[in-house]
Amino acid sequence: MSQYVSELTTFLVDDVWGELPSRVFRTLLHEGRLMLPGIIRKSHLSPNQVKHGLALLVQQGLIKHFSAQSDIPTQYEVDHLRAYSLVRAGKFIAIAEAQFGNIASIILSELLSLGHAKIRDLKVPVMKDMHPVDSDVDVRNGGSVKMPNGQAKTVTSPRQINKVMNQLLDAGFICAIHKAWFRSDADNRFEAEAIVKAGGSYSDPPKPKELPSFNIEVKRKIEEWSNGMQLNTAYVKHQKRSSDYLGTDESRYNKRVKMSNGYANGTTNGYSHTYEDEDDEDDTLLDEELVVRVNPERFLVILRNEFLTGLSATEITHTTAKVYAAFLQKVEPSLWTCRCDIEEAAEVEEVEILRESFSAVQVASSLDPMIELEEDAIGTMTNGFHNDDDNEGIGVKVEDGDDPPSHRSNKASRIDTVSQHLQLLAQDSHHFVQALDKETGGTAYIVDYQGLTKRLRQIELEKIINKRFGKTALRIIRILLVKGKLDERRIGELGMIPPKDMRMALMHMQEAGFVSLQEIPRDIYRQPSKTLYYYYFDSERVRFLVLEETYDAMLKCLQRARIEREKVHTVIEKSERTDVVGREDQFLTKVEREALSKYREKEEMLLTEVSRLDDLVMILRDF
């Protein structure tokens, strides 16, 4: 782990949870995997302090622990990726609110602060956030109350909270916790191998011819654990609850659930059911003993789709981007992580089976009928330029029964127009979709996420090179990407660049580490006059280099935000008092209000920059 990642994650833990957990986290980060006595010795903290810090970090999932046997002491190690995700909490909450409303954002924010929690324990703080405790308003069926500052605050019922939690579970934003979540990847691999070997299908150790199938079985077991029974919905619907998932009790569960042919009525996702005392047969209630957590991988899938939609709007048209957004929303439910490895499939046909394909008819059915597609039909390209005039917003099919505009085409014509937009996406140089000819005669389309992710990374790297070194350097980089290793003379010929400008650009990029130089001597004496010098561009090396610089920039922005906050901490504390909130003009002086306003402007600027840098990290590392 690099220095900048270590410093950034430690700062995030300290900023959110305080000094004690951050000291324990820093110790494990620097020293590696340790047992409890080692943490106490290395951190110079008392045993009680270390235990308190470990308890909080384990609750948040920032530390993994494992013990191979009951009589072996537990070993601890940090999860720096989970610690880094603290910086994305605002994005996760914003996505949940955009899709499921304000209640979903409150549920997610509470769960992020708790780390993981039972459904029962999660509902209590959510209800407190939704309405004041001392309110005399009947909130059982929803309503609103007046806050002290005169603003109305929405009040919700437990039934509404239950409904939103079901939606979050079905969408994969939150998921059930498995014991594997508390273990590192290496420990999960060890446990999965032991379970697969115990099945009796493989020898111990597996023979060479058994290794491919053995590795596939182990990987499936790990994916089943890590995704909380969400990878295979059909399997989940027909299986009893496993005791490996925390908070389950078979005897209590079976007594409270309506049974039909041995399975719970109303089961929709493996961990929800309908109670007998409910009046509404379709009202699905959650098992309140189920332990859930936030699933960051699911949010990354949605964010990746947003980046791809934005790229298609830039490269083609905004209306085509709306069609592409609808297509990606069709693919989205089958993806629970951005890291879907399909390289294990031996044949190309098997790889294509693992990808979801959809036709123009299916995409057209999910589009909002209010979106007019004729404006940006396939004939909008003129002399290589696109007409970007467009409606705003990306829509999906509406359910409120509004009549579509009278000027829209009939269903067949609309499907044909959607097909034309999909052809535009397939024919683009980025290959946003790929066409597959079905045996039934129709054409279906798939998304090559791996290729598109590489393209996104290349675009971001080219933007950085263009900003830092200029257009000449960008031209050289593109030549090296296509041709490979070249000497100065050949680069100048292909790029038609003056030798002086070319050497200057190569020198600056080599000093920054963006271009590497390989020496090939023509004799055994390695004389400079008889040595060939070839320049090349290593995209992976540059990607890691940019990531390190991005981590450093994020850390400096957050440190600056802390310094600015400390300058006016007395004013901030005063403005956050319950009797001052909403009445700042009465309780704060003019100087205090100006200081607070300047601080908030600086903080917003710094946090916005951190969010932009995090977008770059997502593209270069997580997608």
Side-chain angles (χ1 to χ4, degrees):
M1 186 185 305
S2 67
Q3 172 189 353
Y4 297 121
V5 176
S6 174
E7 292 178 356
L8 176 60
T9 52
T10 303
F11 182 88
L12 290 171
V13 174
D14 180 73
D15 192 57
V16 177
W17 304 114
E19 182 181 359
L20 177 59
S22 69
R23 286 185 62 178
V24 177
F25 184 86
R26 185 188 302 111
T27 301
L28 287 170
L29 200 61
H30 292 168
E31 302 295 335
R33 193 175 178 117
L34 292 174
M35 293 181 288
L36 182 60
I39 301 174
I40 296 172
R41 184 174 63 256
K42 297 289 185 180
S43 63
H44 305 289
L45 296 172
S46 67
N48 285 338
Q49 288 176 324
V50 171
K51 290 178 182 178
H52 285 307
L54 285 175
L56 188 147
L57 294 171
V58 170
Q59 174 77 17
Q60 296 297 324
L62 306 181
I63 282 184
K64 306 298 183 183
H65 59 89
F66 178 71
S67 179
Q69 300 177 7
S70 59
D71 57 343
I72 297 179
T74 303
Q75 296 178 324
Y76 302 89
E77 62 180 300
V78 300
D79 185 354
H80 68 278
L81 293 178
R82 182 75 180 181
Y84 176 85
S85 65
L86 291 172
V87 81
R88 295 176 179 164
K91 293 180 180 178
F92 297 164
I93 295 172
I95 292 174
E97 183 174 8
Q99 294 202 14
F100 302 113
N102 184 47
I103 301 177
S105 67
I106 295 176
I107 293 173
L108 208 70
S109 62
E110 290 292 341
L111 193 54
L112 284 169
S113 64
L114 294 173
H116 64 271
K118 293 182 179 180
I119 296 293
R120 180 191 65 231
D121 299 333
L122 190 59
K123 288 182 178 180
V124 175
V126 172
M127 289 296 295
K128 289 182 179 178
D129 286 343
M130 293 304 298
H131 61 82
V133 177
D134 57 351
S135 173
D136 57 355
V137 180
D138 184 6
V139 300
R140 288 174 295 178
N141 297 318
S144 63
V145 296
K146 289 293 183 178
M147 301 300 292
N149 57 7
Q151 297 178 349
K153 189 171 184 179
T154 304
V155 178
T156 189
S157 64
R159 186 183 296 268
Q160 290 174 306
I161 295 177
N162 183 83
K163 178 182 177 181
V164 175
M165 285 187 177
N166 267 304
Q167 292 174 338
L168 292 173
L169 283 165
D170 292 337
F173 291 172
I174 61 178
C175 62
I177 279 191
H178 189 276
K179 293 179 181 179
W181 188 62
F182 298 98
R183 300 192 293 251
S184 66
D185 293 340
D187 295 330
N188 282 330
R189 175 81 185 186
F190 177 82
E191 283 291 303
E193 287 180 352
I195 293 174
V196 173
K197 290 176 184 177
S201 302
Y202 302 95
S203 56
D204 190 10
K207 298 178 181 179
K209 64 179 180 180
E210 298 176 342
L211 280 177
S213 59
F214 175 78
N215 289 331
I216 291 176
E217 289 293 329
V218 170
K219 183 178 179 181
R220 286 176 180 172
K221 177 61 68 174
I222 294 173
E223 287 179 344
E224 179 185 334
W225 292 342
S226 62
N227 291 284
M229 298 198 307
Q230 293 174 342
L231 283 175
N232 193 334
T233 307
Y235 172 82
V236 170
K237 288 182 180 179
H238 296 85
Q239 294 294 322
K240 291 183 179 181
R241 298 168 60 84
S242 170
S243 60
D244 285 341
Y245 289 86
L246 304 187
T248 62
D249 184 344
E250 285 292 337
S251 60
R252 179 193 55 78
Y253 176 78
N254 293 334
K255 289 179 181 179
R256 297 186 63 187
V257 182
K258 293 182 181 180
M259 304 302 293
S260 175
N261 299 325
Y263 302 108
N265 292 338
T267 299
T268 59
N269 50 19
Y271 33 66
S272 59
H273 54 268
T274 303
Y275 291 132
E276 290 182 304
D277 57 353
E278 287 297 320
D279 297 332
D280 189 354
E281 291 281 342
D282 297 329
D283 189 15
T284 304
L285 293 181
L286 295 170
D287 180 4
E288 295 195 348
E289 296 299 315
L290 181 73
V291 183
V292 294
R293 66 174 176 90
V294 175
N295 183 17
E297 290 291 331
R298 182 62 175 157
F299 289 97
L300 291 178
V301 172
I302 296 173
L303 289 168
R304 180 178 62 181
N305 288 345
E306 291 181 359
F307 278 107
L308 293 176
T309 302
L311 180 61
S312 65
T314 303
E315 297 294 327
I316 310 178
T317 63
H318 288 277
T319 302
T320 303
K322 295 176 183 178
V323 176
Y324 192 43
F327 183 89
L328 294 177
Q329 287 176 356
K330 298 286 289 185
V331 182
E332 187 179 289
S334 63
L335 297 175
W336 294 98
T337 177
C338 289
R339 304 178 182 275
C340 295
D341 296 328
I342 58 175
E343 290 86 358
E344 294 180 357
E347 301 295 335
V348 176
E349 290 78 10
E350 295 180 11
V351 174
E352 293 176 353
I353 290 173
L354 294 175
R355 299 174 180 170
E356 286 286 340
S357 61
F358 296 96
S359 63
V361 177
Q362 294 172 303
V363 177
S365 64
S366 64
L367 270 173
D368 187 347
M370 300 299 293
I371 296 178
E372 182 59 56
L373 301 178
E374 296 297 336
E375 296 177 359
D376 286 335
I378 202 167
T380 57
M381 295 181 61
T382 305
N383 297 327
F385 295 95
H386 298 286
N387 178 18
D388 290 334
D389 295 336
D390 165 52
N391 312 317
E392 293 184 356
I394 294 175
V396 294
K397 185 177 179 181
V398 294
E399 302 292 344
D400 56 1
D402 291 341
D403 293 327
S406 58
H407 62 276
R408 76 178 182 89
S409 58
N410 55 34
K411 182 178 179 181
S413 176
R414 188 173 181 82
I415 292 173
D416 183 64
T417 305
V418 171
S419 178
Q420 292 177 1
H421 284 287
L422 290 174
Q423 290 175 20
L424 271 178
L425 292 166
Q427 295 168 4
D428 189 83
S429 60
H430 297 300
H431 301 293
F432 291 104
V433 296
Q434 296 179 1
L436 295 176
D437 293 329
K438 287 186 174 181
E439 297 179 356
T440 56
T443 302
Y445 298 88
I446 61 173
V447 180
D448 181 13
Y449 279 110
Q450 189 175 9
L452 287 171
T453 299
K454 290 181 179 179
R455 186 56 188 156
L456 275 175
R457 290 174 179 174
Q458 187 59 38
I459 290 173
E460 291 300 323
L461 292 179
E462 289 181 357
K463 288 180 181 179
I464 293 171
I465 292 170
N466 187 27
K467 289 288 185 181
R468 292 181 61 173
F469 307 108
K471 293 183 179 179
T472 301
L474 179 58
R475 187 186 304 177
I476 293 173
I477 292 298
R478 288 175 174 173
I479 292 172
L480 294 176
L481 280 171
V482 175
K483 298 296 183 179
K485 298 177 181 179
L486 297 173
D487 59 2
E488 287 186 1
R489 181 183 60 82
R490 189 59 178 158
I491 293 173
E493 291 176 356
L494 292 174
M496 295 182 291
I497 306 171
K500 183 178 180 180
D501 296 342
M502 178 192 62
R503 291 192 183 98
M504 188 66 67
L506 285 172
M507 181 188 68
H508 289 322
M509 287 192 292
Q510 187 181 2
E511 289 177 351
F514 281 72
V515 169
S516 301
L517 184 65
Q518 182 178 2
E519 300 178 1
I520 302 178
R522 290 186 290 182
D523 59 13
I524 61 174
Y525 301 105
R526 305 182 69 89
Q527 297 180 8
S529 59
K530 296 182 179 181
T531 301
L532 299 176
Y533 299 93
Y534 287 94
Y535 293 93
Y536 64 96
F537 177 74
D538 187 349
S539 58
E540 282 299 306
R541 179 175 179 273
V542 174
R543 182 171 69 90
F544 284 111
L545 178 65
V546 173
L547 275 174
E548 292 300 306
E549 294 177 350
T550 305
Y551 295 141
D552 187 28
M554 292 177 68
L555 176 61
K556 290 177 179 177
C557 289
L558 292 172
Q559 288 174 337
R560 188 63 194 177
R562 173 182 285 186
I563 292 172
E564 295 295 335
R565 184 168 60 250
E566 290 175 352
K567 289 180 180 178
V568 293
H569 71 278
T570 55
V571 180
I572 294 174
E573 291 175 357
K574 183 177 179 180
S575 65
E576 291 176 349
R577 283 165 36 188
T578 56
D579 60 329
V580 178
V581 174
R583 302 174 182 176
E584 287 83 358
D585 293 339
Q586 301 179 20
F587 291 93
L588 297 181
T589 65
K590 182 179 179 180
V591 176
E592 290 176 333
R593 291 197 301 269
E594 290 178 354
L596 188 62
S597 176
K598 290 180 180 179
Y599 160 73
R600 287 174 176 171
E601 289 178 1
K602 293 179 181 178
E603 183 187 43
E604 182 180 2
M605 178 185 63
L606 291 169
L607 294 183
T608 301
E609 185 62 27
V610 169
S611 178
R612 291 174 180 171
L613 293 170
D614 177 55
D615 291 342
L616 181 60
V617 172
M618 279 191 288
I619 293 174
L620 297 180
R621 189 193 69 182
D622 298 328
F623 289 167

